[in-house]
Amino acid sequence: MSTNLSQTVHFKVIEPTLFELSRPGRIGVDLPACDVPEQDHSELLPGVALRGEVPLPELSEPEVVRHFTHISSLNYNVDKGFYPLGSCTMKYNPKINDQAVSMPGFARIHPYQPEETAQGALEVLFAMQENLAAILGMDAVSLHPAAGAHGELLGLMLIRAYHEHRGQGHRKSILVPSAAHGTNPASAARCGYKTVSIDTDERGLVDMPHLKHLLAQHEGDIAGMMLTNPNTLGLFERDILEICEWVHAAGGLMYCDGANMNALVGTARPGDMGFDVMHVNLHKTFSVPHGGGGPGSGPVGVKAILEPFLPVPQAYRRDDGTFGLDYDRPLSIGKIATFHGAFLAIVRAYTYIRHYGREHMHEISENAVLNANYIRVQLGKTFPVAYDQLCMHECVFTLKDLKKHGVKALDVAKRIIDYGYHPPTMYFPLLVPECLMIEPTETESIETIDAFITAMQQIAREAVENPQIIRDAPHTAPVRRLDEALAARNLDLSWSPLAQLAAAKMED
Ligand SMILES: Cc1ncc(COP(=O)(O)O)c(C=O)c1O
């Protein structure tokens, strides 16, 4: 990693599109001669569906390969370098997972295939339901949700179905801590619930007196509570047993936002803490790619009281050892996704789980927590830690002291790009001013982490000696700092070759 970027090189890269690289007559493929009779297209398609000339770019094969290889290398990704994006768990995606999903038995099957011809795939679905239930401490798992937020929605729909089934459908309040991820109150609202916000205390944890007060204030109306544990400050909610007891006594159910499961996997189980329902992100804790590399998957685990309401179908094993899909679930809330979820994401996560096995799974969370605490202690000498105590898999710093140099957390996040790293999460959780949230994950070496800390310390020195260099960053990225206000006002989300050609003609 480069560490001497105080002297900045200003450059701007404008990537030409394939249309701009196009030259008339250049060709990259030779199609074989047509061996079926030519037909009048209008017989096959109605006239309105037929296009005239489509202006496709004309290039040779090497030009196309170079173009795409080049632009793919401009994108930052976890195979390129350290990706300390807190709360997102951007962990390494083992290549053995790709090998597994490339197997024809997984890659080439169709969801409408007869069950007897897809026994291996059904066994993986069943085994994942069982494995995740064991890891989370739950009784049953649905693999259907396509993301964490989708899992939250399903979890709340299950809570709603449970209360309605018991004649308690009038319960309308969901407790959510002030530090929660924005998807929590959004999912509650989407499910028709009212969010009641719980304060965070000076420890960075649920404010217990405030929780007690809210439970009394909303007596008879509490449907449940959503809690991330460890919470979004990277801290373990030490009062979790008491919290669950109180909410249960008030007639509510406990939902665990399992986005931070990387801190617990193999070591502790939310089901044992008293949670009734939770989601876990396969695209975080279980090494499935996310961001541009999706699709994601956010399975939901439940205790037995919620199992009857799970979406259909559930994979199951018959007495004769074969596998099937169970649609015969009278209390099910129905379907929340097409078919059975993001199947290949499930295969990737299953490969990861089997790779570690029961004996070694705890090493994931142990190393993730060790790496985060190393960063907390080392970088804490430069930037104050928001709530300085033993953290779990991520740590949150406040950069408010840099304000006197005219430097914000956003500027530091942009400057770290010049040093070859993806920025950490910034301005989340909202209750920490000028915050950066750093999550190293378990696979980063001490050399990588030390180099990152050195770069951050260098930026802290720059803030004093040459703050402008930080305010203007990034200097070396293919795209410089964007004018976000302008982008929001002039949204331009689609690109069309015809519009581009028209614009080029106007310029001529
Ligand atoms: C704490 C927390 N909850 C929920 C989510 C939502 O997960 P997803 O992005 O898979 O919808 C995230 C995502 O970053 C998160 O960090």
Side-chain angles (χ1 to χ4, degrees), residues 87-88 147-149 152 181 183-184 228 232 257 259 279 281 283-284:
S87 204
C88 286
E152 290 171 27
H181 194 261
T183 49
N184 289 192
T228 314
T232 56
D257 176 336
H279 80 263
N281 301 57
H283 49 283
K284 293 182 182 181

Side-chain angles (χ1 to χ4, degrees), residues 14-227:
I14 300 171
E15 299 303 323
T17 66
L18 281 182
F19 290 90
E20 288 159 319
L21 295 171
S22 173
R23 294 292 174 274
R26 250 176 229 172
I27 195 156
V29 285
D30 282 324
L31 294 176
C34 185
D35 61 355
V36 291
E38 295 261 348
Q39 277 201 2
D40 179 5
H41 297 307
S42 58
E43 283 175 22
L44 300 170
L45 279 175
V48 287
L50 292 176
R51 288 174 297 184
E53 278 306 294
V54 181
L56 293 176
E58 297 172 73
L59 292 107
S60 68
E61 182 178 312
E63 285 169 321
V64 174
V65 170
R66 282 188 189 152
H67 174 75
F68 284 114
T69 306
H70 172 62
I71 57 174
S72 73
S73 72
L74 298 177
N75 202 9
Y76 197 86
N77 56 77
V78 81
D79 287 344
K80 203 165 174 177
F82 185 40
Y83 211 126
L85 200 59
S87 204
C88 286
T89 312
M90 299 297 288
K91 68 166 66 176
Y92 177 65
N93 313 132
K95 299 307 158 220
I96 192 173
N97 296 356
D98 296 334
Q99 221 174 315
V101 296
S102 308
M103 291 163 74
F106 293 138
R108 300 252 172 105
I109 54 170
H110 193 279
Y112 281 143
Q113 226 169 285
E115 281 180 3
E116 60 275 18
T117 66
Q119 283 296 301
L122 291 175
E123 183 171 357
V124 168
L125 292 179
F126 178 74
M128 264 306 263
Q129 289 172 193
E130 299 282 296
N131 277 276
L132 286 178
I135 291 168
L136 306 178
M138 293 287 165
D139 296 316
V141 165
S142 166
L143 301 172
H144 292 218
H150 196 193
E152 290 171 27
L153 181 64
L154 170 59
L156 291 167
M157 287 166 80
L158 296 173
I159 290 177
R160 191 176 61 189
Y162 168 84
H163 286 309
E164 280 172 0
H165 187 66
R166 292 160 46 95
Q168 294 280 303
H170 56 272
R171 292 176 175 268
K172 286 286 172 236
S173 295
I174 292 282
L175 296 155
V176 181
S178 56
H181 194 261
T183 49
N184 289 192
S187 301
R190 187 72 190 83
C191 209
Y193 283 122
K194 189 174 71 201
T195 299
V196 178
S197 179
I198 317 162
D199 291 346
T200 300
D201 66 14
E202 64 288 343
R203 303 170 302 167
L205 306 178
V206 166
D207 184 325
M208 294 299 280
H210 191 223
L211 174 61
K212 188 177 239 173
H213 166 76
L214 292 174
L215 286 169
Q217 194 180 15
H218 296 270
E219 196 187 344
D221 191 45
I222 300 290
M225 172 166 169
M226 299 181 86
L227 184 63

